[in-house]
Amino acid sequence: MKSPLLSLPGAVPAEGVDEGVAAHYGDLFREQRSLADGTGFVDLSHRGVVAVSGQDRLSWLHLLLTQHVSDLPVGEATEALILSANGHIEHALYLVDDGETVWAHVEPGTQDTLIAYLESMKFFYRVEVADRTDDFAVVHLPAGSIAEVPEDTVVRETPHGRDLFLPRETLESFARKAGRPVGILAYEALRVEQHRPRLGFETDHRTIPHELGLIGSAVHLQKGCYRGQETVARVQNLGKPPRRLVFLHLDGSEVHLPGHGTELRLAGDGPDGRKIGFVTTSVRHHELGPVALALVKRNVPLDAPLVAGDTAAAQETVVEP
């Protein structure tokens, strides 16, 4: 879905999964500073929007999600996962309930498979699941923003800012009043700085929640059964995850950033060393320079210098081994 805000001056289209919105509007670092200062807004209208309504919506979702949502207060934001039977992450949902409907935004293009799964699990529960992507656009306001939010807008407020579910036909009029637009690259740079994993970037077909530090924020350990819970409980109580998320400071003299999937090796092992992980997201940060998130094997020493492809990298711990 192509955003109408791509017609704004300076807009450069994003590529890949974020196609449809702007990568930036001509000044990446200024846009990052704007977000960090609590000004501007980010067009996330390419993200999927799923709505679950009906009398049983919270109790039903509670059975399917990793998060405790049976008593979710109106207006309180949360996030949750759907796992495979083996405990691998399949979907990530960013939720809020408005008293009648649970609204969730999800990764672009994942709403169809998510809705198909939810529909298959309805049984006798009084719920309705709807794809509202064509009707609603997600817009992010950074923490501290004083931009005016239209009346009756569903808002998901977090420590990092507010996600608005705007009627899609109002997106352009909102943009005219909300300050300078900020591209997805600036949003991603701050996400990496904040060590926040993203489905499809920090995850692959075998990622489990412990590897990304999602226990607590997206996975509740004291709730009832859900698909994949056995793996979560076993790792929590009896073992350690095979991999862990790290934050990398990359060599700033390199022109190109190592892309998603770039192999990581121990610097001391040389160019023929064994693979010990891979880069998941790399960005240029307005203060930190080139940085990245990566997944490495759990037993990689915490202070070991690494190499991402040909780029030297120093690691900071995100998830403890």
Side-chain angles (χ1 to χ4, degrees), residues 227-247:
R227 190 174 69 174
Q229 185 194 28
E230 296 83 358
T231 298
V232 171
R234 184 168 60 250
V235 174
Q236 183 70 21
N237 297 321
L238 301 176
K240 295 284 188 178
R243 303 177 297 184
R244 58 185 177 86
L245 187 68
V246 297
F247 181 74

Side-chain angles (χ1 to χ4, degrees), residues 209-230:
H210 298 77
E211 295 176 328
L212 304 183
L214 293 174
I215 303 301
S217 62
V219 179
H220 196 287
L221 293 176
Q222 277 76 51
K223 61 158 289 183
C225 293
Y226 54 87
R227 190 174 69 174
Q229 185 194 28
E230 296 83 358

Side-chain angles (χ1 to χ4, degrees), residues 132-194:
R132 304 303 304 275
T133 308
D134 289 343
D135 306 315
F136 287 86
V138 180
V139 170
H140 176 77
L141 297 177
S145 171
I146 60 172
E148 183 178 352
V149 176
E151 189 176 356
D152 297 327
T153 299
V154 176
V155 178
R156 183 178 175 276
E157 187 159 2
T158 76
H160 306 293
R162 289 173 289 170
D163 298 334
L164 314 182
F165 294 83
L166 292 175
R168 193 168 286 275
E169 67 269 15
T170 69
L171 179 58
E172 290 182 274
S173 62
F174 174 83
R176 288 193 291 268
K177 303 174 184 177
R180 294 193 177 202
V182 173
I184 192 72
L185 290 182
Y187 181 82
E188 284 289 281
L190 269 62
R191 177 181 71 81
V192 170
E193 178 194 13
Q194 295 157 356

Side-chain angles (χ1 to χ4, degrees), residues 8 15 18 63 72 93 95 106 158 164 174 176 182-183 186 190 194 200 208 243 246 250 260 267-268 279 298 321:
L8 293 177
E15 299 177 346
D18 290 321
L63 299 173
L72 183 66
L93 297 83
L95 308 161
V106 298
T158 76
L164 314 182
F174 174 83
R176 288 193 291 268
V182 173
L190 269 62
Q194 295 157 356
I208 61 175
R243 303 177 297 184
V246 297
L250 303 171
H260 175 83
V279 172
R298 178 174 56 84

Side-chain angles (χ1 to χ4, degrees), residues 108-146:
T110 65
Q111 63 268 24
D112 288 346
T113 54
L114 170 61
I115 289 172
Y117 171 70
L118 294 177
E119 288 285 353
S120 74
M121 301 300 291
K122 285 172 66 172
F123 303 115
F124 56 86
Y125 289 94
R126 293 165 293 183
V127 294
E128 295 295 332
V129 181
D131 183 353
R132 304 303 304 275
T133 308
D134 289 343
D135 306 315
F136 287 86
V138 180
V139 170
H140 176 77
L141 297 177
S145 171
I146 60 172

